[in-house]
Amino acid sequence: EPEVTQTPSHQVTQMGQEVILRCVPISNHLYFYWYRQILGQKVEFLVSFYNNEISEKSEIFDDQFSVERPDGSNFTLKIRSTKLEDSAMYFCASSFRGETYNEQFFGPGTRLTVL
Amino acid sequence: AQSVTQPDIHITVSEGASLELRCNYSYGATPYLFWYVQSPGQGLQLLLKYFSGDTLVQGIKGFEAEFKRSQSSFNLRKPSVHWSDAAEYFCAVGFYNTDKLIFGTGTRLQVFP
């Protein structure tokens, strides 16, 4: 069964460093998403991406964040200058269509630890 | 304020017992409703969803959920829990005019043999 994959599973970085989290969505999906979950808190939407541009973003997704689909298979989340409060589990998801009644398939997550 | 509430942070049941996990939402319109499960080290897996129609929906792994408009609730049920059901369960809502899912805080289910 096709699945969303994410690398790395765990990333440790120093505050102020740039990190890139990688995701490989399901191959025929067209919509891509990033969510995050700070330890002990709820899963929060960050951004959605379609047709090579951001279609929706939350207030969390500020200028420190960017997303890119650099090739036909990868979808990345970049954090330019990490802060301690960026420590969280980051989930990538993909769906064939937009709008939330279409199932979003989630990856296993990347745990980001900022020291 | 608009929100998704899962009032039970942690639930413990014995294997074979019945289970009900609560979810309430606070929105003006009826949202699309979802239950996801997350096992340790795994991603979020969709258990079931409600968009319209029959208010009792069946999902995978023997789970079902009932939408009650009058109570703004979408509770998840299973008649007989298995040890492999131990996981974190998330209720989520979506709307027709947005890409994002809005999640509750989750309920951790522990199953004793």
Side-chain angles (χ1 to χ4, degrees), chain A residues 31 33 56 97-102 104, chain B residues 27-34 50-51 93-102:
Chain A
Y31 293 78
Y33 314 84
E56 188 174 347
R97 298 183 194 278
E99 298 184 340
T100 52
Y101 58 83
N102 294 285
Q104 294 180 17
Chain B
Y27 292 95
T30 299
Y32 306 126
L33 297 158
F34 306 83
Y50 172 80
F51 300 144
V93 306
F95 295 92
Y96 75 95
N97 60 348
T98 178
D99 298 341
K100 67 183 179 186
L101 291 174
I102 302 167

Side-chain angles (χ1 to χ4, degrees), chain B:
Chain B
Q2 297 180 332
S3 65
V4 180
T5 303
Q6 292 181 248
D8 304 305
I9 297 172
H10 188 192
I11 285 183
T12 302
V13 299
S14 298
E15 191 170 19
S18 63
L19 173 71
E20 183 169 29
L21 303 182
R22 296 181 290 167
C23 174
N24 293 92
Y25 64 89
S26 174
Y27 292 95
T30 299
Y32 306 126
L33 297 158
F34 306 83
W35 274 100
Y36 281 85
V37 61
Q38 183 183 26
S39 299
Q42 304 296 311
L44 297 160
Q45 181 184 23
L46 181 67
L47 285 175
L48 45 75
K49 58 189 177 185
Y50 172 80
F51 300 144
S52 63
D54 193 346
T55 56
L56 184 64
V57 293
Q58 303 297 320
I60 62 171
K61 305 185 181 189
F63 285 93
E64 66 178 27
E66 185 173 13
F67 168 58
K68 292 185 178 180
R69 187 187 305 275
S70 61
Q71 298 176 19
S72 297
S73 69
F74 189 57
N75 293 348
L76 182 71
R77 301 195 294 246
K78 187 169 185 178
S80 178
V81 170
H82 188 263
W83 64 266
S84 61
D85 293 325
E88 184 113 23
Y89 291 80
F90 294 94
C91 180
V93 306
F95 295 92
Y96 75 95
N97 60 348
T98 178
D99 298 341
K100 67 183 179 186
L101 291 174
I102 302 167
F103 285 83
T105 49
T107 297
R108 179 166 298 279
L109 175 66
Q110 193 170 6
V111 181
F112 281 113

Side-chain angles (χ1 to χ4, degrees), chain A residues 26-82:
Chain A
I26 293 173
S27 62
N28 65 339
H29 284 185
L30 302 174
Y31 293 78
F32 314 111
Y33 314 84
W34 284 101
Y35 290 79
R36 79 171 186 191
Q37 183 183 28
I38 295 171
L39 187 64
Q41 298 185 25
K42 59 178 67 178
V43 176
E44 301 172 289
F45 171 80
L46 292 178
V47 65
S48 58
F49 190 85
Y50 169 71
N51 200 25
N52 279 321
E53 59 183 34
I54 291 173
S55 56
E56 188 174 347
K57 62 181 181 179
S58 71
E59 60 274 12
I60 303 168
F61 194 87
D62 61 21
D63 292 343
Q64 291 298 311
F65 292 90
S66 62
V67 288
E68 190 179 31
R69 189 157 163 80
D71 53 42
S73 59
N74 289 282
F75 178 52
T76 63
L77 174 69
K78 181 193 291 185
I79 309 175
R80 284 188 189 72
S81 178
T82 51

